């Protein structure tokens, strides 16, 4: 009968799936990074080195290695002098929570500006669309994406009603604004604006021609009257001269 050799290590260390990667702090907010790091360290069985802290040198080394893989080099130089993963983690938190608060304030200011902005009568569609796109890009850089339906709705509601009421009503009837792209709406409004400008320019040209013709007729009529008055006066003076 074959002897059964007992396993000397009844609880072998489980291998970590290769799909698990360390989250990089530079590409996300500290809060999101900390949440992902907590999960990662639990998977590696070293979260207790952070909360509450540990004196196990092996686990501390694993935790420090995970943190150093998850932060940019410049931050490693700042926090790497700490002698435990708990202190390194706390130093990372202290250096980034302040930056996150500043980012949050900037985002609130940006969103307030987004809610208040309106298109002026003198603005062009292209210019106003560019302003909204710029605000949307800044919002993304601060960690919040303005969804396209919200951007489309904001654009439509910000247009001067006196100038665009007819095209707005038409678009709301024929399009589903929840699925229409921002570029499509901007393109349609630009085409409408160009037709308005063309019509206004054509009307101005017609008005100028009518004014010029009217002015020319007035000038000719006035000149004719002056000639008639002058002719009668000359004839009168001639008769008078003959009788003298």
């Amino acid at each position: 009968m074959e002897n059964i050799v007992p396993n000397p290590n009844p609880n072998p260390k489980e291998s970590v799936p290769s799909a698990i990667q360390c989250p990089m702090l530079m590409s996300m907010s500290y809060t999101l990074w900390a949440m992902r790091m907590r999960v990662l360290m639990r998977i590696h069985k070293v979260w207790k080195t952070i909360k509450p802290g540990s004196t196990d040198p092996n686990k501390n080394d694993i935790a420090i290695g995970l943190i150093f893989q998850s932060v940019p080099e410049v931050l490693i130089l700042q926090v790497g002098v700490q002698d435990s993963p708990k202190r390194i983690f706390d130093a990372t938190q202290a250096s980034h929570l302040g930056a996150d608060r500043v980012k949050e304030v900037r985002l609130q200011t940006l969103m307030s500006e987004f809610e208040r902005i309106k298109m002026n009568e003198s603005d062009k569609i292209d210019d106003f669309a560019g302003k909204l796109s710029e605000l949307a890009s800044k919002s993304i850089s601060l960690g919040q994406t303005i969804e396209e339906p919200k951007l489309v709705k904001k654009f439509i509601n910000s247009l001067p009603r006196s100038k665009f009421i007819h095209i707005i009503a038409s678009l709301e009837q024929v399009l589903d604004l929840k699925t229409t792209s921002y570029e499509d709406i901007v393109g349609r409004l630009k085409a409408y604006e160009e037709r308005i400008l063309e019509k206004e320019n054509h009307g101005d040209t017609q008005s100028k021609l009518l004014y010029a013709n009217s002015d020319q007729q007035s000038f000719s009529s006035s000149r004719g009257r002056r000639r008639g008055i002058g002719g009668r006066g000359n004839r009168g003076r001639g008769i008078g001269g003959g009788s003298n």
Side-chain angles (χ1 to χ4, degrees):
M1 182 176 180
E2 184 178 357
N3 293 329
I4 299 177
V5 180
N7 189 342
N9 185 7
N11 296 312
K13 183 178 179 180
E14 296 181 1
S15 60
V16 178
S18 59
I20 297 176
Q21 298 179 353
C22 294
M24 285 303 298
L25 179 56
M26 66 173 58
S27 63
M28 64 188 73
S29 69
Y30 171 81
T31 302
L32 181 58
W33 176 84
M35 293 173 63
R36 291 184 174 180
M37 285 299 295
R38 182 169 64 249
V39 173
L40 181 65
M41 288 184 170
R42 283 176 176 170
I43 292 173
H44 284 273
K45 313 300 181 185
V46 294
W47 176 243
K48 288 185 178 180
T49 64
I50 308 299
K51 301 289 184 180
S54 173
T55 57
D56 186 325
N58 292 328
K59 289 188 175 182
N60 282 346
D61 287 343
I62 294 174
I64 292 173
L66 292 174
I67 295 173
F68 281 3
Q69 289 183 60
S70 306
V71 298
E73 293 180 358
V74 64
L75 186 58
I76 293 176
L77 295 175
Q78 294 175 11
V79 302
V81 295
Q82 305 296 331
D83 58 1
S84 73
K86 176 177 174 57
R87 290 182 178 178
I88 292 175
F89 202 89
D90 290 345
T92 302
Q93 180 186 53
S95 66
H96 278 76
L97 277 183
D100 281 357
R101 291 191 185 100
V102 172
K103 183 183 292 186
E104 184 178 352
V105 171
R106 288 178 178 174
L107 182 60
Q108 290 175 354
T109 303
L110 183 72
M111 295 311 297
S112 296
E113 183 181 354
F114 179 80
E115 295 298 331
R116 291 194 309 267
I117 190 171
K118 295 287 185 181
M119 179 175 169
N120 298 321
E121 291 282 351
S122 59
D123 288 342
K124 301 296 184 184
I125 289 292
D126 240 355
D127 296 335
F128 183 71
K131 291 177 182 178
L132 284 184
S133 297
E134 183 179 358
L135 291 176
S137 297
K138 288 181 178 179
S139 178
I140 292 174
S141 69
L142 292 173
Q144 180 171 321
T145 300
I146 299 177
E147 300 295 336
E148 195 161 38
K150 183 176 181 179
L151 196 60
V152 168
K153 183 178 179 180
K154 175 62 181 178
F155 181 74
I156 291 292
N157 292 339
S158 300
L159 299 175
R161 285 297 190 268
S162 59
K163 190 174 181 180
F164 295 98
I165 184 62
H166 298 297
I167 184 63
I168 291 173
S170 298
L171 292 176
E172 289 176 341
Q173 289 178 3
V174 302
L175 296 178
D176 182 0
L177 298 182
K178 293 182 179 179
T179 59
T180 304
S181 70
Y182 182 64
E183 290 76 12
D184 184 16
I185 287 292
V186 172
R188 290 173 184 267
L189 268 297
K190 283 177 62 177
Y192 180 79
E193 181 183 54
E194 289 172 1
R195 287 197 294 270
I196 290 178
L197 291 175
E198 183 179 355
K199 183 178 180 181
E200 289 177 350
N201 291 335
H202 180 71
D204 289 343
T205 301
Q206 292 291 340
S207 297
K208 289 177 181 179
L209 288 174
L210 290 173
Y211 177 79
N213 291 335
S214 176
D215 190 58
Q216 180 64 32
Q217 290 175 1
S218 297
F219 176 77
S220 299
S221 176
S222 175
R223 187 177 179 182
R225 287 195 299 271
R226 286 198 300 271
R227 284 180 176 177
I229 294 171
R232 289 192 297 271
N234 290 333
R235 287 193 297 269
R237 286 191 296 271
I239 296 171
S243 60
N244 291 332

